[in-house]
Amino acid sequence: TASLPEIENIIVVMMENLSFDNILGMLGRGDTFAKGPNGKPTAACPDGKGNLVHAFHMPSECMTSGVSNSWNTGHGSYDNGTNQGFVTSSTGESMGYFTGDDIPFTWGLASTFPIADRWFCSAMAQTDPNRRYLISGTSLGLINDTFPTALPPNGTIFDSLNRYGITWKDYYSDLPSIGTYLPLLTKAGISDKLVKMEEFYKDAASGKLPQFSLLEPNYGNQSQENPQDIQFGDQYLSDVVQAVLHGPKWSKTLMIWTYDEWGGWYDHVPPPAAIAPDDIPPDLPPGFMPGGFDLYGFRVPAGVISPYARRDFVSHAVYDHTSVLKTVETKWNLPALTRRD
């Protein structure tokens, strides 16, 4: 039973490894950078040598490999809730940010449609754990880009969609996020729903989009993970949003866009407490900082695109990637997968 009859199609696009302040900190909508009399951000972090590194406009759209999204870097950046450890845990590049001159479509999108300024990544961990939260509500204890030895006990959202006859596709460019659980790549009823991005543009134009779609950029040059040129991701976001806006299904569509995690870039809002998804503790190797899944990771950009979107709206509610699961579950009255969703 569909409980949101106005919406027939939910589309999710998830980019990579950038914080809210890094992308939208200068936008001026929501909880963005505080600015001084010169119009520049007042945010700064110590470098461990008695100096402060102030937030600065990135000198190029091309990033370097100067920031890190590891468990230790994240918890060191968090610095007991002060968010003052970004530079000492990573490098000064972590204080860089982009503006609308660098990513004009992303800024136009965030200026036109609702955004969330309290959307946190699901765990203060790397890409794969956070993408597992998007599709299964848990990382099964993993904190880095390694593979679990089992599948989640309640399955993934794709298993739920299959169980109740809801159509879906994972449109991917080079790597599908379903592959964060390797056995799913060859599982019957799952693997046949993995299709290349080219098919998305055809389906969007012909009105043949499934009820749920996951869109995935090329993770080598479009996802905006460092050291990529961020403009390629801006172009990708433009391409997929325009395809939805001009397709015959637009009037019944909800599109959600966000990023999997903060990538090591500065954000001024400390992550709050979270609901641990299950009883599985983080798999921490020797020498890793203590922590758990009862704390979110840092904020990431996020928003919704829909003809039903509220005008001039910024949501201050706390969200994470399992909010996507909750939205899908609410739409089709599906059971939750973990405590988090």
Side-chain angles (χ1 to χ4, degrees):
T1 303
S3 62
L4 301 173
E6 299 88 354
I7 298 298
E8 294 180 359
N9 303 94
I10 296 178
I11 302 170
V12 177
V13 56
M14 178 175 274
M15 308 297 282
E16 277 207 295
N17 295 38
L18 297 172
S19 73
F20 185 96
D21 279 347
N22 174 261
I23 293 292
L24 302 179
M26 293 296 286
L27 182 69
R29 289 188 81 201
D31 190 350
T32 51
F33 281 130
K35 300 182 181 69
N38 60 0
K40 295 183 178 181
T42 57
C45 280
D47 67 355
K49 301 175 183 178
N51 307 304
L52 288 176
V53 178
H54 291 268
F56 63 93
H57 182 206
M58 288 286 285
S60 168
E61 293 86 0
C62 296
M63 301 174 279
T64 76
S65 298
V67 294
S68 167
N69 60 351
S70 71
W71 177 273
N72 277 357
T73 299
H75 286 76
S77 300
Y78 177 65
D79 194 22
N80 298 312
T82 67
N83 283 22
Q84 284 292 288
F86 280 87
V87 175
T88 52
S89 297
S90 188
T91 70
E93 188 176 358
S94 62
M95 301 303 295
Y97 62 81
F98 297 99
T99 70
D101 291 334
D102 310 308
I103 42 174
F105 184 82
T106 304
W107 265 43
L109 190 66
S111 299
T112 304
F113 288 99
I115 59 172
D117 68 0
R118 286 294 185 277
W119 189 301
F120 298 88
C121 59
S122 295
M124 202 174 288
Q126 290 182 294
T127 288
D128 285 3
N130 276 287
R131 288 183 177 267
R132 288 188 192 102
Y133 270 89
L134 174 71
I135 66 176
S136 65
T138 178
S139 69
L140 293 183
L142 296 184
I143 62 166
N144 49 29
D145 293 341
T146 55
F147 295 102
T149 57
L151 293 173
N154 293 324
T156 68
I157 192 62
F158 306 114
D159 294 301
S160 295
L161 297 175
N162 282 344
R163 189 174 302 121
Y164 294 98
I166 298 155
T167 59
W168 65 275
K169 288 182 183 179
D170 180 345
Y171 298 94
Y172 72 98
S173 299
D174 57 341
L175 297 169
S177 291
I178 285 175
T180 58
Y181 291 111
L182 281 176
L184 295 183
L185 292 176
T186 54
K187 183 178 178 180
I190 299 287
S191 59
D192 61 310
K193 310 294 196 309
L194 309 181
V195 298
K196 298 305 287 284
M197 270 302 306
E198 291 79 5
E199 190 166 321
F200 164 74
Y201 296 108
K202 295 177 183 177
D203 288 350
S206 62
K208 295 180 180 179
L209 288 174
Q211 291 165 284
F212 179 80
S213 303
L214 177 62
L215 310 185
E216 309 204 52
N218 184 299
Y219 293 111
N221 55 34
Q222 290 180 323
S223 70
Q224 299 183 319
E225 179 181 8
N226 65 308
Q228 296 175 21
D229 182 333
I230 197 170
Q231 296 173 107
F232 288 101
D234 191 61
Q235 181 66 57
Y236 172 80
L237 196 56
S238 173
D239 290 344
V240 297
V241 170
Q242 296 290 353
V244 172
L245 285 171
H246 297 293
K249 294 261 189 175
W250 163 244
S251 64
K252 297 286 189 177
T253 292
L254 166 64
M255 190 173 189
I256 304 169
W257 64 281
T258 187
Y259 287 73
D260 54 20
E261 33 90 354
W262 81 105
W265 301 93
Y266 174 81
D267 193 80
H268 74 276
V269 177
I275 299 294
D278 44 40
D279 294 327
I280 306 173
D283 182 13
L284 300 178
F288 273 56
M289 299 178 71
F293 297 122
D294 56 354
L295 180 72
Y296 291 114
F298 296 102
R299 289 191 309 169
V300 291
V304 296
I305 307 156
S306 175
Y308 295 99
R310 190 182 307 177
R311 289 183 180 274
D312 303 317
F313 181 67
V314 176
S315 175
H316 309 300
V318 173
Y319 302 101
D320 80 312
H321 304 330
T322 65
S323 301
V324 175
L325 295 178
K326 180 64 175 177
T327 302
V328 172
E329 292 156 1
T330 299
K331 162 63 183 168
W332 286 292
N333 286 328
L334 305 178
L337 299 175
T338 69
R339 295 174 194 152
R340 181 72 73 85
D341 58 317

